[in-house]
Amino acid sequence: MEITTKEFKHCDVVSVNGRVDSSTSPQLAQALDKLTDDGHHNLVVDMTKLEYMSSAGFRALLAAQRNCKKFNRGEIVLCAVPERIKEALELAGFTELFKVFDDSLTAVGSF
Amino acid sequence: MHTNTYTADFTNLDAIRDFVGGFAQQAGLNSKEIYAVQLAADEACSNVIEHAYEGIVNGTFDVSCAALPGQVTILIRDHGKPFNIEKVRQPNLGKNLDEREIGGLGVFLMHKLMDEVHFESKPKEGNVLTMIKRKSGGA
């Protein structure tokens, strides 16, 4: 798994590439924690190159969403979610907790 | 039935997904069903590593697969602490962000993704989790 972040005027885009499971989810949690610790609370998680995500990844997203939404200071949105991952997120009821956009441009524009 | 033995380490999840995915493909399951089998096996093995072998070093567990036309069976056997997934509380998916439980999601997904999930804990044989996935619309 590989994570890259890019800062925009109103938000940061976190691109997650590869596979997120119990082995790699701590890296994702750490990357999201670092951004929120640095005061970045409007985040776009770009899943264009994400191949796989287990519930370990969902939990990292949930914890970060709670953190970002605290004091109404921001939120995490998702974009370009691959079909299989979207189905699993729907099964877990996560699509109600995150706004989902088709592409990063629309997601960035939402902030 | 083919069996692979893995050490209780999360870095083996990649190999486990490849292993079960191959049998799901062999059984003629479609890409959505193959992904479901891989995700369910990952969730089950993650639980074994995290809970059954919590505080135990050098633990190993077996993953066995069998493919029939239109059906794949996954059997996971460990010798750690019994972790009865049937006793895991179902997460309340209707709850809002603040109330949503962090745990229990893996077991919930396993039941949703697979057609059958059975757990058995025997003193001599260890903990055995059996999961079956069938091709939608019959074999």
Side-chain angles (χ1 to χ4, degrees):
Chain A
M1 188 200 59
E2 221 180 77
I3 297 173
T4 52
T5 58
K6 196 173 176 189
E7 194 172 341
F8 285 79
K9 196 174 178 187
H10 299 292
C11 65
D12 290 72
V13 176
V14 182
S15 303
V16 189
N17 302 353
R19 301 168 172 192
V20 180
D21 60 15
S22 299
S23 172
T24 55
S25 66
Q27 273 173 263
L28 174 62
Q30 216 171 14
L32 295 170
D33 276 352
K34 193 183 179 313
L35 282 163
T36 52
D37 285 350
D38 292 343
H40 301 260
H41 301 110
N42 284 329
L43 306 177
V44 174
V45 175
D46 186 348
M47 298 187 169
T48 307
K49 289 179 181 168
L50 186 65
E51 293 164 22
Y52 175 86
M53 188 179 261
S54 74
S55 71
F58 298 175
R59 282 196 292 272
L61 290 176
L62 179 63
Q65 180 70 304
R66 275 186 187 147
N67 195 3
C68 285
K69 283 202 165 181
K70 217 183 274 177
F71 316 121
N72 278 328
R73 58 191 178 185
E75 76 171 304
I76 295 183
V77 303
L78 312 178
C79 75
V81 186
E83 192 60 25
R84 299 284 163 258
I85 295 164
K86 197 172 183 179
E87 285 163 1
L89 284 167
E90 275 167 6
L91 270 184
F94 268 53
T95 41
E96 289 162 30
L97 304 176
F98 296 86
K99 286 179 193 154
V100 180
F101 294 93
D102 288 344
D103 54 74
S104 64
L105 202 67
T106 325
V108 169
S110 75
F111 284 105
Chain B
M1 193 159 253
H2 295 258
T3 302
N4 277 353
T5 302
Y6 300 93
T7 54
D9 193 309
F10 289 134
T11 56
N12 287 319
L13 292 171
D14 250 342
I16 292 166
R17 287 193 300 265
D18 285 347
F19 179 56
V20 300
F23 281 86
Q25 196 167 17
Q26 207 180 307
L29 271 57
N30 65 31
S31 66
K32 181 179 175 171
E33 291 157 345
I34 294 169
Y35 189 91
V37 169
Q38 289 178 313
L39 183 52
D42 174 324
E43 300 293 351
C45 293
S46 291
N47 275 337
V48 167
I49 298 164
E50 194 175 342
H51 300 291
Y53 286 116
E54 189 186 7
I56 297 169
V57 286
N58 300 326
T60 62
F61 61 97
D62 297 330
V63 180
S64 307
C65 297
L68 290 172
Q71 176 178 311
V72 65
T73 303
I74 315 285
L75 201 141
I76 299 162
R77 184 195 304 271
D78 70 80
H79 297 279
K81 288 176 251 178
F83 176 71
N84 191 345
I85 62 151
E86 278 149 29
K87 286 188 178 163
V88 174
R89 272 179 50 211
Q90 196 172 310
N92 187 340
L93 304 188
K95 284 187 179 174
N96 67 28
L97 183 67
D98 291 331
E99 294 170 327
R100 187 70 74 95
E101 296 98 347
I102 292 276
L105 201 53
V107 172
F108 173 79
L109 284 176
M110 281 155 56
H111 283 284
K112 282 278 179 190
L113 296 164
M114 302 298 280
D115 292 302
E116 287 183 41
V117 179
H118 307 284
F119 179 81
E120 230 181 334
S121 185
K122 291 180 180 173
K124 279 185 182 169
E125 292 168 42
N127 309 311
V128 182
L129 180 77
T130 310
M131 301 192 287
I132 297 171
K133 181 77 178 172
R134 294 183 192 94
K135 192 173 175 60
S136 57

